[in-house]
């Protein structure tokens, strides 16, 4: 099977007649796309990519699938999920209009994000047994990842990576495989190094793998043990530090709120206003009036 540089790009060509919207999805090399499809009979050459699909809407009651072990007719419907594992070439015969959210990611991203917790080859094969499955948590993570992938600015990267990692873990759990989590905690030196990197890069894009590489562990291990050590997720800690620095700038400078927002990694003044309102219960403008006499 020919190796593809991007399954999403292959999909654009193979399904060029169908309306599509594509978004990049973090440091994992993942790509998301939304497609409006009509009836079709085709074979997807997966190459070195896994694919997770979510049915947003469909006019088809049933579809025909073959993952190489015989044809199976399955019931379809909104909110159904499907996995096409890397290396597979499933044939599908689908009738009627259907709208899909898709997430493709390199097989190598599983090892990169989970490290020693990667269950190995065939991690998601069990999810093809019934072709389609349903899971509220997976659906919620998919839609959250789609929304986050649309945002610009440094804040979006680490949140996208965190959502992707949670999605990987959920798929492995649904496959009935164990996630081999190391119980070794992070040292205080590792925590200090991670926090120093975050502080230095508050105004820049920062990914979960970059922070984990700084302290020499996998992103999966770092995220779990950072929360165990500090009580906060990496994404939550980054947001806390950006808000703290923005509050300081609002108190001690006359810089426009938009400039302060950009200086500390928010994509816009509105983004910072939303974060202030959500986490502090006050807008930046009102906060400045409160603390500046």
């Amino acid at each position: 099977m020919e190796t593809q540089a991007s399954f999403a790009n292959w999909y654009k060509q193979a399904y060029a007649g169908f309306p599509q919207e594509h978004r990049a999805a973090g440091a994992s090399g993942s790509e998301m796309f939304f497609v409006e499809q009509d009836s079709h009979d085709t074979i997807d050459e997966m190459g070195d990519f896994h694919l997770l699909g979510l049915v947003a809407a469909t006019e088809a009651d049933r579809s025909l699938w073959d993952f190489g072990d015989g044809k199976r007719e399955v019931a379809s419907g909104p909110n159904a999920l499907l996995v096409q594992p890397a290396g597979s070439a499933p044939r599908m015969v689908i009738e009627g209009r259907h709208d899909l959210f898709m997430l493709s990611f390199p097989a190598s991203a599983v090892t990169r994000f989970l490290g020693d917790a990667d269950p190995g080859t065939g991690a998601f094969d069990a999810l093809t047994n019934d072709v389609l499955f349903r899971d509220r948590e997976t659906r919620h993570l998919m839609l959250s990842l789609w929304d986050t992938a649309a945002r610009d600015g440094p804040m979006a990267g680490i949140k996208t990576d965190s959502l992707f990692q949670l999605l990987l873990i959920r798929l492995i759990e649904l496959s009935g495989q164990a996630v081999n989590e190391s119980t070794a905690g992070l040292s205080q030196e590792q925590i200090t190094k991670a926090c120093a990197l975050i502080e230095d890069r508050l105004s820049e894009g920062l990914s979960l793998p970059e922070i984990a590489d700084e302290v020499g562990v996998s992103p999966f291990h770092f995220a779990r043990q950072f929360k165990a050590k500090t009580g906060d997720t990496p994404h939550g800690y980054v947001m806390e530090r950006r808000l703290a620095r923005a509050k300081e700038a609002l108190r001690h400078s006359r810089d426009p709120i938009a400039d302060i927002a950009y200086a500390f990694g928010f994509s816009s003044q509105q983004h910072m206003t939303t974060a202030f309102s959500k986490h502090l219960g006050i807008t930046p403008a009102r906060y400045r009036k409160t603390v500046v006499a």
Side-chain angles (χ1 to χ4, degrees), residues 85-120:
S88 64
R91 178 186 176 186
M92 62 207 78
V93 181
I94 302 176
E95 296 182 355
R97 176 189 166 88
H98 49 286
D99 299 343
L100 303 173
F101 287 103
M102 304 284 212
L103 169 68
S104 71
F105 55 95
S108 59
V110 182
T111 300
R112 184 182 182 198
F113 270 70
L114 299 187
D116 292 339
D118 178 4

Side-chain angles (χ1 to χ4, degrees), residues 40-277:
H40 66 276
D41 179 345
T42 189
I43 294 176
D44 281 354
E45 298 285 349
M46 293 310 303
D48 294 328
F49 295 85
H50 298 295
L51 181 75
L52 173 65
L54 169 64
V55 179
T58 180
E59 296 175 354
D61 294 328
R62 305 189 69 80
S63 56
L64 191 66
W65 291 76
D66 188 348
F67 278 92
D69 52 0
K71 295 178 181 178
R72 284 170 285 173
E73 189 177 31
V74 298
S76 186
N79 298 325
L81 294 149
L82 64 98
V83 168
Q84 296 174 209
S88 64
R91 178 186 176 186
M92 62 207 78
V93 181
I94 302 176
E95 296 182 355
R97 176 189 166 88
H98 49 286
D99 299 343
L100 303 173
F101 287 103
M102 304 284 212
L103 169 68
S104 71
F105 55 95
S108 59
V110 182
T111 300
R112 184 182 182 198
F113 270 70
L114 299 187
D116 292 339
D118 178 4
T121 304
F124 310 123
D125 287 354
L127 293 176
T128 68
N129 289 341
D130 297 319
V131 181
L132 300 178
F133 64 98
R134 294 177 183 275
D135 180 64
R136 181 181 297 178
E137 184 176 340
T138 302
R139 176 169 57 86
H140 173 73
L141 288 168
M142 273 278 285
L143 294 176
S144 296
L145 192 55
W146 174 256
D147 289 340
T148 304
R151 301 175 189 171
D152 294 323
M155 233 7 243
I158 192 169
K159 185 175 183 180
T160 302
D161 292 341
S162 298
L163 287 169
F164 174 73
Q165 186 179 77
L166 290 172
L167 193 55
L168 281 184
I169 294 167
R170 183 57 179 166
L171 292 176
I172 291 169
E173 291 173 345
L174 291 171
S175 299
Q177 303 204 43
V179 178
N180 303 312
E181 181 179 1
S182 170
T183 58
L186 296 175
S187 68
Q188 187 55 52
E189 181 182 2
Q190 288 174 308
I191 294 290
T192 300
K193 288 181 68 175
C195 291
L197 177 63
I198 290 169
E199 205 70 29
D200 288 342
R201 298 273 298 275
L202 279 179
S203 62
E204 305 172 26
L206 186 62
S207 70
L208 188 57
E210 285 179 307
I211 304 174
D213 286 346
E214 178 75 6
V215 299
V217 298
S218 72
F220 172 78
H221 182 68
F222 174 76
R224 290 295 179 95
Q225 295 303 324
F226 184 86
K227 184 174 183 181
K229 191 81 171 182
T230 67
D232 207 351
T233 64
H235 172 254
Y237 179 77
V238 171
M239 175 62 80
E240 177 187 319
R241 292 305 306 144
R242 284 182 167 143
L243 288 171
R245 294 285 293 277
K247 285 167 62 179
E248 184 178 353
L250 289 168
R251 284 197 304 269
H252 300 297
S253 81
R254 295 179 177 272
D255 294 342
I257 293 176
D259 290 352
I260 293 173
Y262 291 125
F264 296 110
F266 296 97
S267 59
S268 64
Q269 180 176 333
Q270 182 57 49
H271 182 200
M272 189 172 84
T273 297
T274 300
F276 259 70
S277 298

